[in-house]
Amino acid sequence: MDRRTFLGSTGAAALATAVPAAAQKAAAAGTNANDAKLRTLLDRFFYDRIGENPEGATALGLDTGERAGLKSKLNDGSAAGAQQDLARSKRELAELRKINPASLSPAARLDYEVVSYQLQRSIAGGEKFTYGASMGRFAPYILTQLTGAYREVPDFLDAQHRIKDAADADAYVARVAAFATAIDQDTERQRADAARGVFAPDYILDTTLKLMGGLRDQPAASTVPVTALAGKLKAANLPDARVAEVTKIMNDQVFPALDRQRALVTELRGRASHDAGAWRLPDGEAYYAAAVEAATTVAMPGEEVHRLGLAQVAEISNRIDGILKAQGMTQGSVGERLVALNKRPDQVYPNTDAGKEQLIAQLNSQVIAMQKRLPEQFSFIPKAPVEVRRVPKSIEAGAPGGYYQNASLDGSRPGIYYINLRDSFDRPKFGLATLSYHEAVPGHHLQVMTALESQDIPLIRRRGGFSGYTEGWALYTEQLADEMGMYEGDPLGQVGYLQSLLFRATRLVVDSGMHHKRWSREKATDYFIATTGIARGRSQNEIDRYTCWPGQACSYKIGHTVWVRLRDAVKQKQGAAFDPRKFHAVLLDGAMPLTILERMVTERMLKA
């Protein structure tokens, strides 16, 4: 898997010492010697990867002391860098296999199994598919509206690179200079892939060119790398001379590199296909099957994904139909009635900055209300706070509708739930609460920070890259909120929750539809809108996302199905003795493949 995926986007220097201390404590207590050996090995894997992942080091707060030099660098995005990642994964797996898992304690054996799974899947993807990304999340195209240094680096510099002193400021300048190299590396990889016929469809390249233009077609002094630096220098009480230096670098180095990249994308746009699916790629059917398994950690053929989606769409639509009829909304299909509900003036905030501020205030109030209820379901609550912010305007045209960024453990940054507000019509009031539960608590923030704040999970597992587990959990907590009575007296809020479930079930249909059954972008979009009632702008953005990340959209509902099935099985077996807090304590073991989660829950809670 690639550097970003394996390490995740964790934060905090406190991570640097927590697990070694825990390992030493365990060894001193006389526990299995092989446990300590494994922990030492996994920690070395982690730090070796950090040494080759400057951006990850900054996100973790580990670009200080002996690693201070990393703060001046960006990740190596070249083809050679990808090969180095693959070779390293092979070395690591060989070293890991020297330890007999049967000799480990149950907790250490779980660590062994999870990391071994990651490495094996990473190696298999990297060896079989030599275009795009296939060592973590499968992303066949180097340059899209979602991928590429051109969009990632400015946001990284703004959100992650902290400036406290002159050395930090100099490191920032060096990174802006490295930005040009990162763009050129992407350009060369995309050019090589294009020679094999691997580049994004025409409509994806249209949005990509729009975003590139958003960075390029303005004065260098107005770009995010320059304006972010100016703000950071002012906050640190440092002189602003470096602003002129970075402006010159943008003009003399970054803009020419971006011009070269834009020229390539323009050329590719002229000969791009309109076909949406991965089936058109080299060994495309196998690529999609591998992408689904990488995202869900469950082997499921495209046809089975499609059937599951259709069945769940029908079941959830029937539930929504009953509530809408009780509200006097009886005319038209479920999708048509959801569209009508979305258009009601009382359900939409004004599409103005003031209206969007009101929307964010509502989200924050929903998060606070849920936080007060967490002890009912959880015996542990993360220390880190969480807040809601807008997706930066510079990337909102291509960004997902919402996503989570974890807090730093040193307290310098809270957990952040980002919501895309390019058009407030895309986010009606009746659907906001369930989104808050998904992205913040008890969803991503609680799950992610529980692992990050743990002193028992190895560093390399603190931010597990298992979408089926993490997204399945977040969707499970949307259901949990309903079961907790968060929608009592609010039938439209419950419709919003069910629409969210329907949205994820529909993803199964359209993702497999495009990549397995060869649906067009238009067919997928029309089905999506007709089924979910979600506004066209947001729906189109979703379909375009699935084009670029085959299989990832399947992880939500498949993961949710597994989480609910396991919880319900434990609840049925334990009856009146069932305590949700004990079941939810599985989060303390960190993210893992769903197959391993299922076996762990079975062994702990379901065996007689």
Side-chain angles (χ1 to χ4, degrees):
M1 65 198 59
D2 63 42
R3 298 173 174 120
R4 288 188 180 92
T5 303
F6 198 91
L7 292 168
S9 57
T10 56
L15 276 170
T17 58
V19 171
Q24 293 168 7
K25 180 179 178 181
T31 56
N32 190 325
N34 278 341
D35 286 11
K37 181 180 178 181
L38 175 65
R39 181 62 62 89
T40 299
L41 183 65
L42 296 183
D43 287 348
R44 178 163 61 78
F45 289 174
F46 175 83
Y47 284 112
D48 286 349
R49 288 172 177 269
I50 278 292
E52 298 179 10
N53 184 355
E55 294 170 36
T58 293
L60 285 161
L62 296 178
D63 55 356
T64 59
E66 64 184 38
R67 301 181 188 86
L70 295 174
K71 198 162 193 173
S72 301
K73 302 175 182 179
L74 295 175
N75 289 356
D76 181 358
S78 66
Q83 287 303 305
Q84 289 170 7
D85 286 346
L86 178 59
R88 183 186 56 236
S89 292
K90 291 180 177 180
R91 292 194 304 270
E92 290 171 345
L93 183 59
E95 288 188 81
L96 186 64
R97 284 176 168 169
K98 292 178 181 178
I99 297 177
N100 180 1
S103 69
L104 300 171
S105 68
R109 191 159 57 246
L110 175 64
D111 296 334
Y112 179 101
E113 191 171 6
V114 171
V115 175
S116 177
Y117 179 96
Q118 287 180 297
L119 290 170
Q120 289 181 68
R121 299 307 305 170
S122 171
I123 293 166
E127 287 184 330
K128 185 172 180 62
F129 305 106
T130 56
Y131 53 85
S134 55
M135 293 183 68
R137 170 185 288 166
F138 276 50
Y141 315 117
I142 299 296
L143 294 173
T144 70
Q145 83 282 14
L146 294 171
T147 54
Y150 82 92
R151 72 178 298 281
E152 295 166 356
V153 170
D155 186 50
F156 167 76
L157 291 171
D158 184 17
Q160 300 286 353
H161 188 113
R162 287 181 281 181
I163 293 180
K164 302 185 298 294
D165 53 34
D168 292 342
D170 288 339
Y172 186 103
V173 174
R175 273 181 159 160
V176 176
F179 185 18
T181 299
I183 292 172
D184 282 335
Q185 288 174 338
D186 284 347
T187 300
E188 291 312 306
R189 287 188 68 188
Q190 182 62 86
R191 193 186 307 279
D193 283 355
R196 303 171 60 191
V198 180
F199 54 98
D202 52 11
Y203 58 92
I204 295 297
L205 296 181
D206 285 338
T207 306
T208 304
L209 286 168
K210 177 181 178 181
L211 291 174
M212 287 179 174
L215 174 61
R216 178 63 180 88
D217 298 337
Q218 61 180 319
S222 301
T223 60
V224 169
V226 178
T227 58
L229 174 62
K232 292 172 189 285
L233 291 175
K234 183 177 180 180
N237 293 315
L238 292 171
D240 63 0
R242 294 178 183 83
V243 173
E245 185 178 357
V246 167
T247 302
K248 188 174 189 305
I249 293 171
M250 291 294 296
N251 269 319
D252 296 350
Q253 299 177 44
V254 176
F255 278 180
L258 190 57
D259 287 340
R260 292 188 288 272
Q261 186 166 96
R262 190 156 64 162
L264 172 64
V265 175
T266 300
E267 174 200 334
L268 297 178
R269 173 61 181 84
R271 53 192 178 95
S273 168
H274 192 66
D275 292 327
W279 55 265
R280 67 185 180 85
L281 303 174
D283 206 6
E285 291 186 5
Y287 185 93
Y288 181 58
V292 170
E293 185 169 2
T296 65
T297 64
V298 174
M300 186 175 289
E303 195 65 31
E304 186 177 347
V305 171
H306 201 75
R307 286 197 301 269
L308 175 64
L310 290 172
Q312 295 204 356
V313 163
E315 187 270 330
I316 299 166
S317 294
N318 285 336
R319 294 173 64 188
I320 296 174
D321 179 54
I323 298 174
L324 292 177
K325 285 179 177 176
Q327 295 300 304
M329 300 180 68
T330 60
Q331 300 301 310
S333 67
V334 167
E336 289 169 341
R337 280 175 279 167
L338 289 171
V339 169
L341 183 59
N342 195 156
K343 292 179 179 179
R344 278 177 31 178
D346 66 316
Q347 292 299 319
V348 181
Y349 281 102
N351 195 35
T352 62
D353 286 340
K356 293 171 183 179
E357 288 176 4
Q358 293 173 11
L359 189 155
I360 290 176
Q362 179 177 339
L363 295 177
N364 277 308
S365 68
Q366 290 165 345
V367 170
I368 292 170
M370 173 57 83
Q371 285 174 326
K372 295 177 180 178
R373 300 281 303 275
L374 291 179
E376 299 171 19
Q377 298 287 328
F378 302 93
S379 59
F380 52 89
I381 297 174
K383 297 176 183 177
V386 61
E387 64 182 51
V388 188
R389 298 181 186 176
R390 285 185 65 173
V391 169
K393 291 183 179 181
S394 60
I395 62 172
E396 65 183 8
Y403 53 90
Y404 170 76
Q405 180 184 90
N406 59 264
S408 60
L409 296 184
D410 60 6
S412 62
R413 187 182 64 248
I416 303 170
Y417 148 29
Y418 285 100
I419 183 167
N420 195 329
L421 296 182
R422 62 180 181 177
D423 188 340
S424 60
F425 183 75
D426 291 342
R427 292 295 175 186
K429 295 178 183 179
F430 67 88
L432 291 178
T434 198
L435 183 64
S436 296
Y437 305 143
H438 181 107
E439 299 293 347
V441 288
H444 286 317
H445 179 70
L446 185 143
Q447 179 260 311
V448 169
M449 294 310 301
T450 293
L452 284 179
E453 293 178 359
S454 169
Q455 295 201 10
D456 298 320
I457 303 172
L459 287 161
I460 205 164
R461 288 195 54 225
R462 294 284 187 92
R463 186 70 165 91
F466 300 107
S467 188
Y469 180 103
T470 58
E471 297 298 353
W473 167 263
L475 192 53
Y476 162 74
T477 63
E478 294 185 44
Q479 176 176 330
L480 184 63
D482 181 48
E483 294 169 347
M484 292 169 66
M486 299 303 290
Y487 299 113
E488 286 184 10
D490 182 17
L492 294 185
Q494 189 172 49
V495 167
Y497 147 63
L498 290 172
Q499 185 188 39
S500 180
L501 280 187
L502 179 62
F503 165 41
R504 274 40 176 261
T506 304
R507 281 177 165 177
L508 297 176
V509 178
V510 296
D511 194 83
S512 59
M514 290 192 295
H515 298 296
H516 172 67
K517 300 181 81 67
R518 305 193 177 193
W519 285 14
S520 67
R521 179 203 195 199
E522 289 72 24
K523 181 174 181 178
T525 304
D526 289 345
Y527 178 88
F528 197 93
I529 295 170
T531 303
T532 66
I534 291 174
R536 177 167 290 275
R538 179 182 164 201
S539 293
Q540 192 66 81
N541 198 48
E542 290 289 331
I543 295 300
D544 293 354
R545 167 185 166 181
Y546 313 153
T547 301
C548 302
W549 289 342
Q552 193 273 339
C554 300
S555 61
Y556 299 72
K557 201 64 181 68
I558 289 174
H560 167 260
T561 301
V562 171
W563 274 106
V564 172
R565 176 165 50 79
L566 291 174
R567 193 277 309 268
D568 287 352
V570 173
K571 190 173 182 179
Q572 181 177 5
K573 178 177 176 58
Q574 296 181 351
F578 175 74
D579 184 345
R581 293 170 296 184
K582 292 181 179 179
F583 175 77
H584 295 148
V586 297
L587 292 184
L588 296 170
D589 290 287
M592 63 191 73
L594 292 173
T595 49
I596 297 177
L597 172 68
E598 184 159 10
R599 193 189 68 244
M600 185 181 75
V601 170
T602 298
E603 291 175 350
R604 291 184 184 178
M605 306 180 195
L606 292 174
K607 284 189 175 179

